[in-house]
Amino acid sequence: MHPSEGQDGLTCLTKDPKDTHASLVFVHGLGGSAFETWNAGSDAELGYWPAKLAENYPYCCIWVLQYTADIFDSPLKRHKTIDLIDKGRWLVDQLVQHGVQEKPIVFVCHSLGGLLVKQALLFAQSLGPDSWRSVWAQTQAVFFLATPHTGSQLANIAQTLADVIRRLTHPLAGLVFKPSQALRNLEKNNPTLRYLRDWYRYYAPVQGIETFAYAEGSMLFGTMVVEVEAANPQIAGADFVQLSDENHLSIDKPANSRKTVYRKVGAYLEGLEERVTEGRISSAAAFLPSREALQRAAEKRKIISRICGWWWEAIRVDGNIEVSLFEIRPNPMTNSVVCEHGFHYDF
């Protein structure tokens, strides 16, 4: 049981999707596919683990996304890779077309797939019709597997290799070994990736989206594809773990149910189902604030960013000067501020 890899789009692996209470969406990365990325092999206990999740958690609708994300482009290829920004719009539209936004959503992403999901969530929050914004409102958690939040050195290495091949071989070789747009999206310290990192780092906790991030701990062909620093989403309270026994191509293929990634995803689905059935999360479309409310909230955040920091005040009492130091910090849960770490001095 696996999706066809000949056509881009979403495939549902659950037998009875109408009876489910939530949606889990798998998004592969650079050079991956909807089947091979998540398949540990027929000899492994889990094998193609999205299908295993569909069996073990029938109350959750399991989706896998297929899209073109080749490392190199060629004019001989029928499908070309698309820029991350354009692909983000496409992903939101795919989710809405299949009605995924009608239930609480969880994403599991490998490598570039995590950047694609963040870009899609950015569009879902701020652009498009209300159905797009419901994708943002319904997102409960994102699992990042070796996602380079600030880019990967491998992209720079691959582009350098492509340049060398073009120079050392026939000039037409450049048509075959041309770095794809998907690869260029992974350039280390790419400003687009830095913006996405900062945006998600701020808005995900405000929205209540839980973040789980896992970094590879073993080299692949002598290279750490995504360094641990790049894999860290830098979100306070996020579950961030480096898996010492996983490399870039094994972290997304848990071979058995004892593997950390499989256990964590399964545990989260169980907790999500409990919250839905108890009414703590509605399986219907979530409430969406108006665009005016979103604008007011954005203006409020600007004010908060200006006043946060250390402040002091001096008060003269009976000829003496008393100085107080205090810190104003943001409270993302209420979009307000709190006063902490006060100190008082008498002179």
Side-chain angles (χ1 to χ4, degrees), residues 52-106:
K52 185 65 67 173
L53 286 175
E55 296 175 9
N56 295 340
Y57 302 92
Y59 49 79
C60 184
C61 188
I62 308 298
W63 299 86
V64 288
L65 180 72
Q66 172 66 34
Y67 66 102
T68 303
D70 294 331
I71 298 176
F72 295 104
D73 273 339
S74 165
L76 303 178
K77 292 181 180 179
R78 183 176 60 178
H79 300 291
K80 298 294 194 316
T81 57
I82 301 177
D83 183 80
L84 182 66
I85 295 178
D86 292 329
K87 208 64 175 179
R89 295 175 183 268
W90 173 81
L91 175 53
V92 180
D93 186 61
Q94 281 288 307
L95 295 168
V96 172
Q97 283 188 38
H98 290 81
V100 177
Q101 85 289 356
E102 296 174 0
K103 303 171 184 177
I105 306 171
V106 179

Side-chain angles (χ1 to χ4, degrees), residues 15-331:
K15 293 182 179 179
D16 299 311
K18 293 182 179 180
D19 296 331
T20 58
H21 301 153
S23 296
L24 177 67
V25 183
F26 282 87
V27 183
H28 68 77
L30 184 68
S33 70
F35 181 67
E36 293 299 334
T37 292
W38 316 107
N39 184 25
S42 57
D43 296 335
E45 173 195 337
L46 296 180
Y48 183 52
W49 70 290
K52 185 65 67 173
L53 286 175
E55 296 175 9
N56 295 340
Y57 302 92
Y59 49 79
C60 184
C61 188
I62 308 298
W63 299 86
V64 288
L65 180 72
Q66 172 66 34
Y67 66 102
T68 303
D70 294 331
I71 298 176
F72 295 104
D73 273 339
S74 165
L76 303 178
K77 292 181 180 179
R78 183 176 60 178
H79 300 291
K80 298 294 194 316
T81 57
I82 301 177
D83 183 80
L84 182 66
I85 295 178
D86 292 329
K87 208 64 175 179
R89 295 175 183 268
W90 173 81
L91 175 53
V92 180
D93 186 61
Q94 281 288 307
L95 295 168
V96 172
Q97 283 188 38
H98 290 81
V100 177
Q101 85 289 356
E102 296 174 0
K103 303 171 184 177
I105 306 171
V106 179
F107 291 98
V108 176
C109 328
H110 178 238
S111 193
L112 174 72
L115 305 179
L116 175 57
V117 166
K118 287 198 294 185
Q119 184 66 68
L121 290 177
L122 173 58
F123 282 130
Q125 181 210 43
S126 57
L127 295 176
D130 287 346
S131 58
W132 280 33
R133 290 196 289 141
S134 63
V135 172
W136 168 251
Q138 290 280 40
T139 298
Q140 307 297 314
V142 183
F143 287 79
F144 295 106
L145 310 181
T147 290
H149 296 281
T150 56
S152 173
Q153 186 64 32
L154 180 64
N156 301 70
I157 295 172
Q159 291 197 64
T160 301
L161 176 62
D163 291 338
V164 170
I165 292 174
R166 282 198 293 268
R167 293 172 183 173
L168 295 182
T169 61
H170 193 278
L172 293 179
L175 298 177
V176 179
F177 295 99
K178 181 180 179 182
S180 70
Q181 183 59 52
L183 183 65
R184 290 194 291 271
N185 285 145
L186 288 178
E187 290 178 349
K188 195 169 185 178
N189 296 321
N190 182 320
T192 300
L193 301 191
R194 290 202 305 269
Y195 175 79
L196 275 178
R197 177 199 61 191
D198 295 341
W199 171 84
Y200 183 86
R201 183 171 57 186
Y202 180 84
Y203 283 101
V206 172
Q207 180 66 12
I209 297 174
E210 296 186 64
T211 297
F212 302 83
Y214 299 97
E216 59 205 63
S218 298
M219 290 188 177
L220 183 67
F221 305 121
T223 300
M224 193 70 75
V225 178
V226 177
E227 303 92 333
V228 63
E229 295 81 6
N232 188 349
Q234 300 180 354
I235 298 177
D239 186 354
F240 175 62
V241 180
Q242 185 179 25
L243 304 179
S244 60
D245 59 338
E246 304 291 0
N247 61 43
H248 193 71
L249 296 183
S250 68
I251 196 170
D252 53 3
K253 302 175 180 64
N256 56 66
S257 56
R258 299 183 300 278
K259 289 290 187 176
T260 298
V261 170
Y262 185 85
R263 288 191 297 104
K264 289 286 188 175
V265 172
Y268 186 85
L269 293 183
E270 291 176 359
L272 181 61
E273 168 68 5
E274 181 179 338
R275 294 196 299 274
V276 170
T277 54
E278 291 180 355
R280 286 182 282 161
I281 298 178
S282 173
S283 60
F287 169 75
L288 291 171
S290 65
R291 294 190 182 278
E292 292 75 14
L294 290 173
Q295 183 177 1
R296 289 195 299 269
E299 293 172 352
K300 189 175 182 180
R301 285 191 292 271
K302 290 181 181 179
I303 297 175
I304 291 173
S305 66
R306 294 192 187 106
I307 66 175
C308 284
W310 283 94
W311 292 76
W312 65 274
E313 61 178 353
I315 303 175
R316 184 180 295 275
V317 179
D318 298 330
N320 297 322
I321 297 178
E322 298 181 358
V323 176
S324 295
L325 293 176
F326 57 93
E327 183 184 15
I328 297 179
R329 301 181 63 183
N331 183 351

